[in-house]
Amino acid sequence: MVHCGHCGSPMVLTSSKKGGAVWGYFTCTGKTFKRTGCTAANWCRSFVDACTN
């Protein structure tokens, strides 16, 4: 599991489509659901995969 470096909340994999391509990224649940005052940026899935392999 990936956790946010700013607030410690779990990060979840989310995706979006643009120009026919699907982009995966991790986003902080504390920020998404406004449970914390987190201001962390979203992280590209390929970057997180490269760091964890």
Side-chain angles (χ1 to χ4, degrees), residues 22-46:
V22 177
W23 300 91
Y25 59 93
F26 284 89
T27 188
C28 173
T29 57
K31 178 181 176 181
T32 301
F33 298 111
K34 296 180 174 52
R35 293 181 184 151
T36 65
C38 189
T39 58
N42 295 333
W43 289 85
C44 180
R45 180 181 180 179
S46 60

Side-chain angles (χ1 to χ4, degrees):
M1 182 180 286
V2 179
H3 286 87
C4 177
H6 291 270
C7 70
S9 296
M11 294 188 80
V12 293
L13 183 60
T14 308
S15 63
S16 63
K17 291 182 181 180
K18 184 174 183 179
V22 177
W23 300 91
Y25 59 93
F26 284 89
T27 188
C28 173
T29 57
K31 178 181 176 181
T32 301
F33 298 111
K34 296 180 174 52
R35 293 181 184 151
T36 65
C38 189
T39 58
N42 295 333
W43 289 85
C44 180
R45 180 181 180 179
S46 60
F47 177 77
V48 174
D49 288 345
C51 291
T52 58
N53 289 328

